[in-house]
Amino acid sequence: MRVLSNMAGRAGAFVDRAGGSWLSRTSGNGEVRGQELAILRRLALASSAALVVVPTGLSFITSPAVALPVGVATVCAAFLFSAVGSIALSRQRPACGPVEAVVVEHRDLMLEAACGLVLLFDPQGNVTAAGGRDRAEFLNWMRDPSGRGFVEQVHVSDRILFLQAVDTLRQGRDALGVDLRLERSAVVEGNDQFVHIRMEMSARRDSEGRLTAIVSQSRDISYDQQLREEAARKAAEAESANDAKSRFLAAVSHELRTPLNAILGFSDILSGEYFGKLENNRQREYVGLIRQSGAHLLSVVNTMLDMSKIEAGRYELLLEPFPIEASIGACEAMLALQAKEKGLTLASRVQRGLGDIVADQRAIQQILINLVGNAIKFTDAGGAVTIDAAMTDGMLKLSVSDTGIGIASERLASLGQPFVQIQNDYTRRYAGTGLGLSLVKGLVALHGGSFAIASAPGEGTAITILIPFDGSGAVAIQPPVDVSRPVDFPPRLKHDLEMTEKRKEEEVNGPAKAKIA
């Protein structure tokens, strides 16, 4: 059996080589089709059996000397005739017929199985065929598009978009997408008159590149459009509320500072006894309380005003070189008495040869005062508050640490938000608005720096800020100054300036106009 199998395999290989050589010479393009080789294999198999059967049958009729050559010649002739005839018939059949049938079948399948509504347009935008998995759902509310211009279904304001898309495909583009609004044929209560759709359009061209058809796939995006509009509306409302809040804080701060300045001024006059002696120490104590409360309220108002400026993007930084030691020394001088009265140790450590930093000195001073003031506020008697300043990789590193009450780790995330103060049974006795750290974070961000806080309950707090030493990260909002323009003193209102400039222009142009007339 193995010998017969090997012989059959070799015979088949021989038929393939010989038949392939012959078929390649007879075909016009030199290609050998597998179907023709299969025909030759079957005929060779049948002929090999006939080479035995036909001579044997003829030997019963005539002598073996005549039967053998006649039988072999007959079989060979039949093989050649059958091979030529079968191959000729196979080549006359259209080979692309089954392939085209499969392509058409797949095309119909995609037309029906594709999601959404699938439409075929001619180059003028008229619908030639409709399909799609959701065709019935679309046709429930729209007019039947078959055999008419699709532009009739589109909202009047969006028709130009559809026509532009068709024209773009006609000019050579292969595909594009467009958002349209389609009009409902009948508006049911609770439904909008127009439906938002997303239409993906693809061009079909002939061998010369001319547009022959357009395939479009549409899906309903009304819900997506509703979500986008809702998100835009909420964003606009939030922005409006934020602007209103900023304007309110700015207005309130401005209106409060005027009477507060009067309170502080008159309380200073009373405490100085410029217009007569106070009768007793209780009056002096009350005047001092008025002065202290007014100063605290003015500080809160100023902080609120600065916060509103930062949030509105209108806080202007005045960048200038200055020694950081001077700012730290001024902060110590301002808060030393407060620390001493509370029984605290206030100290500073500044790296030698630190040099001048380029920043807004007032902002840096405000950062230090807020950080040190908070540290003193939340540190009990006997504790210590330390200010450190050093240079690290081109950044000024300022650290304010204390031995105070500390903050729980789960509450650190909310620390620094406007009007948020960490409260518990122990810290309720500490007054404050929660704006100090929020202002510090805003000022540090304006300088292009970073803010970090580390704390643990009962172990104190350490706040570290990093600010570019050369001021390269600062956001400076400084309008250009026209040095050639004269400065009015005393300053006048903008309306008066505009009226003056207008009158000057009329005076200059008046004679010229009269001369031309």
Side-chain angles (χ1 to χ4, degrees), residues 274-463:
Y274 295 109
F275 298 103
K277 295 285 185 179
L278 297 177
E279 295 183 359
N280 51 57
N281 292 331
R282 177 163 294 184
Q283 291 179 345
R284 297 185 182 90
E285 179 184 0
Y286 288 167
V287 171
L289 291 175
I290 292 173
R291 176 68 175 79
Q292 182 180 357
S293 300
H296 174 70
L297 186 56
L298 182 60
S299 174
V300 173
V301 169
N302 289 332
T303 302
M304 291 172 60
L305 184 59
D306 289 338
M307 280 300 304
S308 64
K309 287 182 179 179
I310 292 175
E311 291 182 353
R314 297 179 180 177
Y315 193 99
E316 299 182 7
L317 295 180
L318 180 60
L319 301 181
E320 58 182 349
F322 64 92
I324 190 64
E325 296 93 337
S327 296
I328 295 177
C331 177
E332 286 185 283
M334 292 177 63
L335 299 176
L337 180 60
Q338 182 180 348
K340 183 179 180 181
E341 291 177 349
K342 202 171 180 182
L344 303 178
T345 301
L346 178 60
S348 63
R349 296 176 295 188
V350 181
Q351 178 181 340
R352 291 185 178 180
L354 197 57
D356 291 349
I357 179 177
V358 179
D360 188 321
Q361 186 173 7
R362 172 179 170 273
I364 298 298
Q365 190 80 31
Q366 201 165 8
I367 290 173
L368 290 171
I369 292 175
N370 277 280
L371 293 181
V372 176
N374 277 345
I376 293 175
K377 182 193 302 184
F378 295 106
T379 304
D380 293 334
V385 177
T386 306
I387 309 171
D388 293 310
M391 179 80 163
T392 304
D393 298 330
M395 306 286 284
L396 173 65
K397 181 179 180 182
L398 288 176
S399 299
V400 177
S401 56
D402 61 65
T403 58
I405 60 176
I407 306 168
S409 58
E410 63 271 11
R411 298 188 178 184
L412 289 177
S414 59
L415 195 64
Q417 298 179 8
F419 304 103
V420 173
Q421 187 181 26
I422 304 301
Q423 296 286 338
N424 52 40
D425 294 338
Y426 186 63
T427 62
R428 288 186 186 277
R429 59 190 176 93
Y430 297 98
T433 60
L435 286 174
L437 283 182
S438 178
L439 179 61
V440 169
K441 292 180 70 174
L443 293 176
V444 171
L446 286 178
H447 282 85
S450 61
F451 176 95
I453 182 170
S455 182
E459 298 181 5
T461 302
I463 297 178

Side-chain angles (χ1 to χ4, degrees), residues 34-57:
Q35 183 181 3
E36 296 175 356
L37 281 178
I39 293 174
L40 289 179
R41 292 193 201 101
R42 289 195 294 269
L43 291 177
L45 179 61
S47 298
S48 61
L51 285 175
V52 177
V53 174
V54 173
T56 303

Side-chain angles (χ1 to χ4, degrees), residues 486-500:
V487 179
D488 293 314
F489 188 85
R492 290 176 290 174
L493 295 177
K494 180 179 180 182
H495 177 72
D496 295 338
L497 291 174
E498 292 178 352
M499 293 298 295
T500 303

